Amino acid sequence: MVAQTRTHGQPSPTKLRFRDKLVGKGLATDALQKKLKALHQELADMDQENVDVPSLHPVRKELINTTILLHKDRGVKAYAACCLADLLRLYAPDAPYTQSELRDIFQFFFRQLTTGLKGSDSPYYNEYFHLLESLSTVKSVVLVCDLPNGDDLMVDIFRDFFGLVRRDLAKKIELFMADILIALIDECQSLPSEVLEIIMAQFMDKNARMDQPSYRLAVSVCTATADKLQRHVCQYFTDIIVDQAREERYEEVQTAHTLIQQLNRACPSLLHNVVPQLEEELRVEQVQLRIMSTQTLGEMFADKHGAGLVEKYNSTWQQWLARRNDKNVTVRLAWVDTMKGVVTHLPEMRKETESALLNKLFDPDEKVRAALCKLFSQLDYETALHHVSVELLKGIAGRGLDKKQSVRVEAFHAIGRLYSLAYPEIENNDPAAVQQFAWIPGTILHSASVSREVKAIAEQTIADFILPLPSLPSASSSKGAEIDEVAWTDRLLLTMRYLDEVSVNTLYSFSNLKGSRPTLYEKFLNACVEYNGGVMDDNEEEITERLNLAVKAVASQFTDQHKAAEDLQSFAKLNEGRLYKLLRTCIDVQTDLKGLIKARSEFLRRVEQSSSTIVGTMSNFLRRSTLYLVNSSSVPTFIKRVQKGFESSAVAYSQTQTQTLGQTFSMFVGGVGEPEGRAQHAAHAAQLWLTHISKHCPALYKAHVGEFSKAIADEKNARLVESCLQALAAAAAWDPKLAPTDKRTVERVMRFVMDSNVRHAKFAARLIVCMRNADDLCEEVVESIADNLMGEDPEKLVAHIAVLAQLALRAPEAFEQKSDVVTAFLVKQVLKSASVPQDDENMDTDEDWVDDAAVPLDLRAKVLALKVCRNRCLAHATSETAVEVAQPVVRMFSTVLQHEGAFAADAQDPPQTRARLRLQAATSLLHLATVQKYTAEVSKYFVGIALTIQDPVYQVRMAFLDKLVALLTKGKLPVQYNIIPFLSVHDPEEDVKRKAQAYVMFARSAMPKAVRLARFEVTFIRLLHLLAHHPDFRIEHEYLPDIAKYIQFYLDLVASNDNVSLLYYLALKSKTVRDAESHVYSENLYACGELSQHLIRDHAKAHSWNLETFPGKVRLPADILRPLPSAEAANEIAKRVYLPDEALTWLKQSKQVQEAKVGGLSAQKACLSHARRCHLQQDKPRASRKPTAKRKTGPKTNGSARRPRAAKKRKVDESDDDESEPSQSEDDEDDDGEKATSPSKRAEALESDEDEDSGDEDADKDGKRKTRAQVKKQAKRAAKRQAKAAASDD
């Protein structure tokens, strides 16, 4: 205490006037209390600066008499305590009592406070308040620090105060207590350990908050005395951690670390000496200590004071960051778990944290990768927007392709949830939100093609987060609350704004619109109803078998087929009629959005009550079987959006859509309300959906025919009229009763038929076929068009031919009345006419392909004329004259292919015309090949059809493959067409090869064994025959490596341990027959057979397969092969080796190279852990491709341009290991042009460390193959790289 000086000039000291005796016999309690009160009042009024200290001596002695200090009356003791406190104030700085007396006095003080101070309404509250105030302001309590056993008294004071403060006293009393405790800590020479423990105990509760008085008091004391307490706190934690860790009492150590975290939140300044101790713990060998220190420091860095902590203890920060690579996975998990707070609250260190997080995306342990992905699912929108980069979010999305299911689930859940949070801002056109999150749906949809497992997760993410069903209005909501169907549909359209073509196609597949009805799921439901829970009157075995087949078919669509089958059987055994009714409502295509949501919600609730274990399977069942993305409720909004996106143009929007479909739908970011660009893209997306519905599920239109009929009256809106005409035509084809019958609409449709707009005329022609009096209407149209073909305006002529193409297929009787006139005109005046020269402004003559919108009218007419011929053949497929009708048409198509897009070898048509005609001829032949009567005729030209996949123009190859895959997937084509995709191995564009590969892998996995045998395995002999007829085939060693690559591509995709013996048997059998055409091709076939035998043996050896003798017999195809004339000829062919010696040498070297490569790879695998092999390989970035039309390959050898081949140098393509479902093109046989814009981009295959080592190396510049030593050297370098990567991971 500071001494108070008394100087002259001040008033004379005030003397105490109180003269009564406080101690004596017979003194009543009331009288004593009254005296003490009077004394207290006089002492309280006296000024410390002007007091006559000697006058206080008489009462000084009496006040500490035991009769007063131990008096039974609480009032006496309360006033006595106040008097003593006043005396200490007035005597200051000198204490008027001995140390023992002072000890008794302070014990007396705090005893009165703890027993008497219970609230503002307690007796003598003002006296206790005065006592506390005096101790706080005068600081007389510091005398405790100098007393004997002062530490014990100090401990009692702290314990009493922290117990007292819990009584919810006035804020001022709490402040007095804090001042007293702070004064004690500041003045004590050494802080008793019990005092520190009492303080620390206030922070033990994890739920402690500042509204708790004891916690608040502890925070106040610690904050004010941090400098004094730092050393003591550090020693406190050091003793606990070291001692308890030595005894392996890790629960106590964990408690200490939890306490550090609590202290950091309240008083971080206390821990400045603790942080270095935690840094040391990061380095110790004890895993538990590393885990706890990692968690604790993570919490500290994530606190609001974290930035200052990082700056002051940068070495600790760096050491903590290094724990991400700790050798123990639990430590790495602890590090990841604390990163959420760091990302959220420490934006200053974003660069370092992001680098560390990107590194952990490829952690060897799946639990770490999954935890990291889960971390991002816990972020709020603002943090994800401002504190996380797009690169990191895309890295999380990339984990959706992880090989571990848990990681894939967490990755998709994280980015899906972030998109859901960001959608309101994307809807508001916030540029930052669009850039940060709008790419998410497209990435998820791209990933869906990687595997069935990834597709299932992507599908669920789309349903849960990207395009969720609205929630039912709650009971507490207003009565007028309804499900917002418009907002639900607009969300779909806005999401499509940022999708490319591949993503849109995947979204189509998720919509469940496509497919024949009844679907697998409807058949299952019907089987359940028939099964009746196992109670059947008749045909029990047949019904049970039908149910089992339905269960098997549905379960095959699930990733876990075994569990799905069990759950579906359990559902069937429940046999609840209400569940069946609800499920039927959900599946019904006529169910609107509100009905779907209500039925779905009740269905899942009832399933949960009946059998909770099958809820997951039945939820997936609903997602696969219901129209949860688009249904009947979407149609009105689609129509309105197409209306709103009106553009005044004679060309329908759909004719230009292919130019932008491969790009993102919108580059418009910004603006208020509904900008023109946004309306246009919404209209575009709506039109795409209407087109898709028209093609695959026109039943949705049943309730909206009136709206479509009304909409086509808006003839200025070409896009709206086109979409509505197409919808009406589709609805009428599905149910002729839906065709419009009113006179005005019929007249309007007839006017569209004769109009010059190709799209309007085409769909109007489809519609009139279904109308009342369709025969008369069609005859009228055909006759009118046929009579006016000559001299017709070019634009209108194109529209007329489009109408004829429709009527030739859909109204053949009407078409046949003028078929002679029409076909003669089309062949002579359209197909064989010279192409009209185009202005340089309209067409680049150097291009081999032009987009659909830029196709000249004469070329459109030619393409449509070919369709007329094709459709006429298809319409006659069941007639007796079918073959007679088709033969000249098939020959014409083959002529076009033979002359590379022309009808004569000397034709001078531009390359754009030739490319379009080649494509149309090839796809037309594919369509005709689906008709059994035409199969034999078309098969004569099979080689020419197959070689279209090696066309020099990229768009031709891609469109042809799209059509081929679509028809093959539906099983419409003969088995030999399954070998065509293998010819894509030399394609310079990876998209073509990848799509072909995806089809083969998906088809083989989905087909039953018998079908797979017929379509892919027995057809191997047909592949050899096709290669023997290939124009590039030469029995010369420099040509054979290219041919070998076709066979190797086939083996990579088809060969297995189960069928390799069959393939080898077929290769051997190729030398037991002759080619049906010529001896030259026979020798080619024999060479191919020998080559394939070598390759099959090498392939089997490389995979450690047993190449056993095939036990059965296979009948070789008689349409392409003939038996040998004699046994002598067979013996001679069997003995002769058709491969040249150089080829045999090359095969031997290739075998050695492959063995060296496989051996090197095995050595590398031995150096790497299994987890690292599976997960550390990062996805390779895809090169962006400009949507240019200039896609052609180099000229082919031997003068004919079929496929590109480099003269000497060729890079061997790697084969993907992912099982992809092919993205089928829209199979509309009447499109005005095959869609061949941007290629179908496939998602990168799952990571594999074998990427660098798969595929043989190229030949060098001199055309020489790499030697065995070079290959070994390369393998050695690769092994060193991966070994180094493995070491760096530790």
Side-chain angles (χ1 to χ4, degrees):
M1 292 183 295
V2 180
Q4 305 293 327
T5 60
R6 297 182 175 87
T7 60
H8 297 288
Q10 291 183 343
S12 59
T14 303
K15 292 185 178 181
L16 180 67
R17 297 190 301 275
F18 184 83
R19 293 290 183 267
D20 294 339
K21 290 290 185 180
L22 298 176
V23 179
K25 291 184 179 180
L27 188 62
T29 298
D30 291 342
L32 178 58
Q33 183 175 334
K34 184 180 291 186
K35 291 180 180 181
L36 288 171
K37 181 178 181 180
L39 175 61
H40 162 56
Q41 290 174 347
E42 185 176 356
L43 291 174
D45 292 337
M46 296 181 73
D47 185 7
Q48 181 185 3
E49 302 289 337
N50 188 29
V51 61
D52 183 13
V53 174
S55 66
L56 304 177
H57 293 340
V59 297
R60 174 179 64 83
K61 283 286 187 183
E62 291 182 319
L63 283 173
I64 60 172
N65 192 282
T66 55
T67 58
I68 293 178
L69 296 181
L70 300 179
H71 201 283
K72 293 182 179 180
D73 185 74
R74 186 174 296 176
V76 170
K77 290 186 284 188
Y79 283 116
C82 290
C83 293
L84 287 170
D86 290 333
L87 286 178
L88 292 176
R89 174 177 65 85
L90 295 173
Y91 272 97
D94 300 319
Y97 299 106
T98 64
Q99 288 187 339
S100 61
E101 290 172 339
L102 283 173
R103 185 192 63 220
D104 294 339
I105 289 172
F106 282 114
Q107 287 176 341
F108 175 71
F109 282 167
F110 294 107
R111 189 163 54 248
Q112 302 315 306
L113 291 173
T114 55
T115 58
L117 186 58
K118 297 180 180 179
S120 58
D121 56 348
S122 60
Y124 309 108
Y125 174 81
N126 291 333
E127 283 67 37
Y128 297 133
F129 184 92
H130 177 81
L131 174 60
L132 273 174
E133 182 180 25
S134 177
L135 293 173
S136 169
T137 55
V138 179
K139 301 294 190 296
S140 56
V141 72
V142 300
L143 295 171
V144 171
C145 299
D146 300 327
L147 298 178
N149 301 322
D151 289 354
D152 296 337
L153 183 55
M154 189 173 177
V155 170
D156 292 338
I157 294 172
F158 272 83
R159 184 180 295 112
D160 292 343
F161 270 20
F162 279 109
L164 187 63
V165 78
R166 288 186 172 87
R167 298 177 183 175
D168 196 20
L169 303 173
K171 181 70 174 176
K172 212 162 189 181
I173 291 180
E174 185 179 320
L175 294 176
F176 292 157
M177 291 180 180
D179 289 341
I180 292 169
L181 298 182
I182 291 169
L184 286 172
I185 293 175
D186 285 340
E187 290 297 324
C188 69
Q189 295 298 319
S190 62
L191 186 70
S193 60
E194 292 90 342
V195 169
L196 189 60
E197 290 175 359
I198 293 170
I199 296 174
M200 295 296 102
Q202 314 309 314
F203 296 94
M204 290 293 189
D205 186 3
K206 292 183 179 180
N207 300 317
R209 303 181 307 275
M210 287 301 289
D211 59 352
Q212 297 174 348
S214 60
Y215 179 77
R216 191 165 56 238
L217 176 61
V219 171
S220 299
V221 171
C222 291
T223 302
T225 60
D227 293 341
K228 183 75 175 284
L229 291 179
Q230 281 180 17
R231 178 173 56 83
H232 299 283
V233 170
C234 178
Q235 187 62 44
Y236 172 80
F237 285 115
T238 300
D239 292 344
I240 292 178
I241 293 171
V242 172
D243 294 343
Q244 301 299 331
R246 185 182 298 115
E247 299 295 329
E248 296 187 355
R249 298 172 182 166
Y250 292 111
E251 291 184 3
E252 299 295 330
V253 179
Q254 179 62 61
T255 302
H257 283 85
T258 303
L259 178 57
I260 292 174
Q261 296 175 27
Q262 290 288 94
L263 286 173
N264 182 69
R265 296 188 192 104
C267 321
S269 54
L270 273 183
L271 302 174
H272 287 177
N273 293 335
V274 177
V275 174
Q277 166 68 19
L278 293 174
E279 180 180 349
E280 289 301 317
E281 289 182 36
L282 294 174
R283 299 187 178 95
V284 299
E285 286 296 321
Q286 293 164 290
V287 174
Q288 290 86 344
L289 284 182
R290 296 208 306 277
I291 292 172
M292 286 183 258
S293 58
T294 300
Q295 292 172 333
T296 302
L297 283 170
E299 291 290 339
M300 295 174 71
F301 290 132
D303 189 70
K304 58 184 177 181
H305 311 290
L309 197 64
V310 171
E311 183 177 358
K312 186 171 184 178
Y313 299 99
N314 190 261
S315 64
T316 306
W317 166 254
Q318 296 299 332
Q319 186 59 225
W320 180 78
L321 281 180
R323 286 309 93 207
R324 69 182 185 273
N325 295 325
D326 194 283
K327 60 185 178 181
N328 186 277
V329 64
T330 313
V331 178
R332 302 201 301 273
L333 274 172
W335 182 87
V336 170
D337 290 340
T338 58
M339 278 302 294
K340 176 189 173 184
V342 175
V343 171
T344 304
H345 300 119
L346 199 62
E348 297 87 351
M349 306 308 296
R350 173 175 167 178
K351 184 176 180 180
E352 290 187 54
T353 55
E354 287 217 345
S355 175
L357 290 172
L358 283 170
N359 174 268
K360 284 297 95 186
L361 287 174
F362 304 97
D363 190 275
D365 194 280
E366 65 176 286
K367 294 189 290 293
V368 176
R369 301 195 303 277
L372 182 58
C373 294
K374 186 175 182 179
L375 180 155
F376 284 84
S377 69
Q378 298 168 348
L379 296 180
D380 60 87
Y381 169 72
E382 292 296 332
T383 299
L385 178 66
H386 299 296
H387 301 331
V388 180
S389 68
V390 175
E391 179 189 8
L392 184 52
L393 290 179
K394 289 186 176 180
I396 296 296
R399 287 301 88 209
L401 303 182
D402 198 282
K403 286 191 174 181
K404 296 297 182 180
Q405 176 78 355
S406 60
V407 183
R408 294 195 295 260
V409 170
E410 293 294 350
F412 277 139
H413 182 271
I415 60 172
R417 180 182 173 275
L418 290 176
Y419 180 85
S420 181
L421 294 175
Y423 177 76
E425 300 304 321
I426 296 175
E427 187 179 27
N428 292 333
N429 240 11
D430 179 14
V434 170
Q435 181 180 4
Q436 190 84 348
F437 304 106
W439 55 269
I440 289 175
T443 300
I444 294 173
L445 292 168
H446 267 278
S447 303
S449 63
V450 171
S451 69
R452 177 174 291 183
E453 291 76 15
V454 175
K455 180 182 178 182
I457 307 171
E459 194 176 31
Q460 184 171 352
T461 305
I462 294 294
D464 292 347
F465 297 108
I466 309 302
L467 300 169
L469 285 170
S471 301
L472 283 172
S474 61
S476 60
S477 59
S478 60
K479 292 184 178 180
E482 290 288 340
I483 294 173
D484 194 342
E485 298 174 346
V486 175
W488 174 66
T489 307
D490 281 340
R491 178 162 182 155
L492 170 66
L493 299 179
L494 180 58
T495 300
M496 287 184 66
R497 182 179 179 184
Y498 306 101
L499 302 182
D500 61 11
E501 184 180 8
V502 177
S503 301
V504 171
N505 287 335
T506 305
L507 195 61
Y508 286 158
S509 70
F510 285 177
S511 69
N512 302 322
L513 292 169
K514 194 173 182 179
S516 60
R517 299 187 185 274
T519 63
L520 294 174
Y521 308 97
E522 290 173 293
K523 292 177 181 178
F524 167 75
L525 178 56
N526 294 334
C528 288
V529 174
E530 289 182 352
Y531 184 67
N532 194 31
V535 181
M536 294 158 280
D537 296 332
D538 301 314
N539 303 322
E540 181 175 345
E541 292 184 1
E542 181 182 343
I543 293 174
T544 303
E545 179 63 20
R546 195 153 49 237
L547 174 64
N548 292 336
L549 290 175
V551 167
K552 184 177 180 181
V554 174
S556 67
Q557 307 299 312
F558 289 72
T559 53
D560 189 347
Q561 298 184 20
H562 179 70
K563 184 180 187 306
E566 289 183 345
D567 291 348
L568 292 172
Q569 289 284 4
S570 299
F571 176 79
K573 291 175 182 177
L574 290 177
N575 193 33
E576 293 188 22
R578 181 60 180 170
L579 286 178
Y580 293 157
K581 184 177 180 180
L582 290 169
L583 186 55
R584 197 175 297 280
T585 301
C586 292
I587 296 176
D588 187 2
V589 296
Q590 300 300 330
T591 303
D592 63 4
L593 179 62
K594 183 177 180 180
L596 172 62
I597 295 173
K598 291 180 67 176
R600 182 180 183 276
S601 177
E602 184 181 348
F603 176 81
L604 291 176
R605 186 176 68 251
R606 285 178 173 271
V607 170
E608 175 76 31
Q609 294 169 355
S610 300
S611 179
S612 59
T613 58
I614 68 172
V615 172
T617 297
M618 298 315 296
S619 297
N620 292 336
F621 185 99
L622 285 176
R623 193 169 59 248
R624 301 282 176 85
S625 61
T626 61
L627 305 183
Y628 70 98
L629 292 181
V630 170
N631 60 29
S632 179
S633 299
S634 308
V635 175
T637 305
F638 287 157
I639 297 174
K640 291 178 183 177
R641 293 298 168 259
V642 176
Q643 286 175 329
K644 204 168 186 179
F646 167 71
E647 60 179 7
S648 180
S649 172
V651 180
Y653 191 75
S654 62
Q655 292 178 261
T656 61
Q657 70 187 36
T658 53
Q659 299 180 54
T660 58
L661 191 58
Q663 307 167 19
T664 54
F665 273 13
S666 177
M667 296 300 159
F668 298 93
V669 177
V672 181
E674 190 77 6
E676 180 183 356
R678 189 168 191 174
Q680 286 292 330
H681 286 288
H684 180 199
Q687 186 183 18
L688 288 176
W689 277 111
L690 288 173
T691 300
H692 187 74
I693 296 171
S694 298
K695 289 180 178 180
H696 302 295
C697 194
L700 289 185
Y701 295 148
K702 183 176 181 179
H704 308 288
V705 171
E707 297 175 68
F708 289 124
S709 299
K710 183 179 178 180
I712 63 174
D714 186 7
E715 298 184 20
K716 292 183 179 180
N717 191 336
R719 175 164 54 189
L720 177 64
V721 172
E722 174 190 328
S723 297
C724 294
L725 280 173
Q726 185 179 14
L728 284 172
W734 175 71
D735 184 358
K737 295 179 182 178
L738 299 179
T741 56
D742 62 287
K743 183 178 179 181
R744 182 175 298 180
T745 303
V746 173
E747 291 176 351
R748 184 175 290 116
V749 172
M750 288 295 289
R751 190 164 62 252
F752 286 132
V753 172
M754 303 305 296
D755 195 12
S756 60
N757 187 302
V758 178
R759 305 285 289 180
H760 294 179
K762 170 184 174 180
F763 297 127
R766 289 186 186 179
L767 180 56
I768 65 171
V769 172
C770 305
M771 285 183 172
R772 186 185 305 170
N773 301 323
D775 294 341
D776 296 337
L777 294 175
C778 293
E779 289 176 8
E780 178 185 343
V781 170
V782 172
E783 186 173 349
S784 175
I785 290 176
D787 293 342
N788 295 282
L789 284 174
M790 296 297 297
E792 189 65 270
D793 173 73
E795 187 174 358
K796 184 167 286 190
L797 176 62
V798 172
H800 286 347
I801 299 176
V803 171
L804 292 173
Q806 295 300 311
L807 297 182
L809 179 65
R810 303 169 192 273
E813 293 181 1
F815 181 82
E816 285 305 315
Q817 294 184 6
K818 292 288 185 177
S819 61
D820 294 342
V821 176
V822 171
T823 53
F825 174 82
L826 294 180
V827 173
K828 296 178 181 178
Q829 303 299 324
V830 178
L831 291 174
K832 294 188 177 180
S833 64
S835 299
V836 179
Q838 298 295 313
D839 297 336
D840 292 340
E841 297 178 359
N842 298 330
M843 180 179 291
D844 186 351
T845 56
D846 291 335
E847 297 288 348
D848 286 343
W849 187 266
V850 291
D851 291 325
D852 291 349
V855 174
L857 292 174
D858 67 317
L859 178 52
R860 287 190 186 185
K862 290 176 184 290
V863 171
L864 288 169
L866 292 178
K867 289 188 176 183
V868 173
C869 299
R870 178 199 69 187
N871 288 352
R872 181 168 180 254
C873 295
L874 293 174
H876 285 76
T878 58
S879 68
E880 296 179 357
T881 59
V883 176
E884 296 177 9
V885 172
Q887 278 181 341
V889 175
V890 173
R891 285 197 298 269
M892 178 178 66
F893 289 152
S894 66
T895 300
V896 173
L897 293 180
Q898 180 183 357
H899 297 309
E900 298 180 357
F903 290 88
D906 57 351
Q908 300 297 318
D909 293 330
Q912 303 92 340
T913 299
R914 286 173 171 263
R916 289 275 178 175
L917 295 183
R918 286 198 306 273
L919 175 60
Q920 186 57 51
T923 54
S924 296
L925 287 171
L926 288 179
H927 279 292
L928 295 180
T930 63
V931 179
Q932 187 175 1
K933 287 187 177 181
Y934 303 151
T935 300
E937 188 66 28
V938 175
S939 295
K940 297 177 183 178
Y941 312 101
F942 176 73
V943 174
I945 298 172
L947 291 177
T948 306
I949 204 171
Q950 295 182 339
D951 194 276
V953 179
Y954 164 79
Q955 286 83 355
V956 174
R957 302 195 303 274
M958 197 66 191
F960 174 79
L961 182 59
D962 281 338
K963 185 64 66 176
L964 175 69
V965 166
L967 294 174
L968 285 174
T969 303
K970 295 178 180 180
K972 292 184 175 182
L973 288 170
V975 293
Q976 62 263 35
Y977 287 83
N978 285 279
I979 67 175
I980 296 178
F982 298 105
L983 297 186
S984 65
V985 65
H986 287 297
D987 201 289
E989 296 286 350
E990 275 296 311
D991 300 308
V992 178
K993 178 184 174 183
R994 190 174 289 117
K995 184 176 182 67
Q997 179 177 339
Y999 161 71
V1000 173
M1001 299 183 71
F1002 172 76
R1004 291 191 71 251
S1005 65
M1007 288 177 178
K1009 185 176 181 180
V1011 178
R1012 185 167 64 245
L1013 176 68
R1015 291 188 171 273
F1016 283 104
E1017 296 172 8
V1018 176
T1019 52
F1020 180 54
I1021 189 68
R1022 290 186 177 273
L1023 175 62
L1024 299 181
H1025 177 268
L1026 177 59
L1027 295 178
H1029 284 254
H1030 198 288
D1032 283 356
F1033 190 90
R1034 299 288 186 278
I1035 306 180
E1036 300 171 13
H1037 74 278
E1038 61 265 26
Y1039 292 94
L1040 291 177
D1042 286 344
I1043 300 300
K1045 195 170 182 183
Y1046 294 113
I1047 301 172
Q1048 189 62 52
F1049 186 47
Y1050 172 89
L1051 295 177
D1052 290 338
L1053 296 180
V1054 177
S1056 67
N1057 191 29
D1058 295 331
N1059 64 21
V1060 68
S1061 297
L1062 169 62
L1063 301 181
Y1064 191 73
Y1065 167 81
L1066 293 172
L1068 290 172
K1069 292 287 286 184
S1070 65
K1071 294 186 70 175
T1072 64
V1073 290
R1074 62 183 177 87
D1075 189 89
E1077 291 188 28
S1078 73
H1079 177 68
V1080 174
Y1081 290 134
S1082 294
E1083 292 194 351
N1084 290 353
L1085 178 62
Y1086 303 152
C1088 270
E1090 292 178 2
L1091 179 61
S1092 61
Q1093 291 172 37
H1094 286 284
L1095 294 175
I1096 291 171
R1097 284 198 300 266
D1098 294 345
H1099 193 79
K1101 185 175 181 180
H1103 290 81
S1104 301
W1105 296 339
N1106 293 325
L1107 191 57
E1108 300 175 350
T1109 302
F1110 183 68
K1113 291 185 178 181
V1114 177
R1115 184 184 297 274
L1116 300 183
D1119 57 324
I1120 57 174
L1121 302 174
R1122 299 286 187 271
L1124 292 173
S1126 64
E1128 292 79 7
N1131 190 37
E1132 181 183 350
I1133 292 171
K1135 290 181 179 180
R1136 180 179 170 185
V1137 177
Y1138 287 85
L1139 289 177
D1141 294 339
E1142 297 89 343
L1144 296 175
T1145 303
W1146 167 75
L1147 284 169
K1148 185 176 180 181
Q1149 291 177 347
S1150 298
K1151 179 180 178 181
Q1152 293 171 346
V1153 168
Q1154 186 175 12
E1155 290 175 351
K1157 181 179 67 175
V1158 173
L1161 183 59
S1162 299
Q1164 295 168 33
K1165 288 181 179 179
C1167 296
L1168 296 173
S1169 68
H1170 174 75
R1172 184 170 181 82
R1173 288 204 312 275
C1174 292
H1175 306 295
L1176 290 186
Q1177 182 68 28
Q1178 299 188 19
D1179 294 339
K1180 297 181 181 179
R1182 296 285 305 276
S1184 59
R1185 178 186 292 112
K1186 297 180 180 179
T1188 177
K1190 200 170 199 175
R1191 292 193 177 270
K1192 56 185 179 179
T1193 61
K1196 196 182 70 172
T1197 56
N1198 306 325
S1200 59
R1202 279 291 178 192
R1203 63 166 180 79
R1205 39 179 311 233
K1208 297 286 185 179
K1209 185 176 181 180
R1210 184 184 301 283
K1211 182 177 180 180
V1212 178
D1213 298 292
E1214 298 171 0
S1215 63
D1216 291 342
D1217 293 328
D1218 54 333
E1219 180 177 314
S1220 307
E1221 179 177 354
S1223 61
Q1224 299 174 13
S1225 62
E1226 299 295 345
D1227 187 18
D1228 182 11
E1229 71 277 5
D1230 300 312
D1231 285 348
D1232 286 333
E1234 301 296 339
K1235 296 181 181 178
T1237 54
S1238 64
S1240 297
K1241 299 263 185 190
R1242 285 288 164 194
E1244 289 294 335
L1246 302 178
E1247 294 84 4
S1248 171
D1249 287 301
E1250 300 171 10
D1251 286 347
E1252 293 183 359
D1253 303 294
S1254 61
D1256 297 332
E1257 287 299 313
D1258 301 339
D1260 59 19
K1261 294 182 179 179
D1262 296 328
K1264 297 178 180 179
R1265 295 282 176 182
K1266 288 198 172 184
T1267 65
R1268 182 179 179 185
Q1270 288 175 308
V1271 174
K1272 286 186 175 180
K1273 186 175 181 181
Q1274 178 197 351
K1276 187 176 180 181
R1277 287 198 302 266
K1280 285 183 178 180
R1281 286 196 301 271
Q1282 295 203 15
K1284 183 178 180 182
S1288 65
D1289 184 62
D1290 295 333

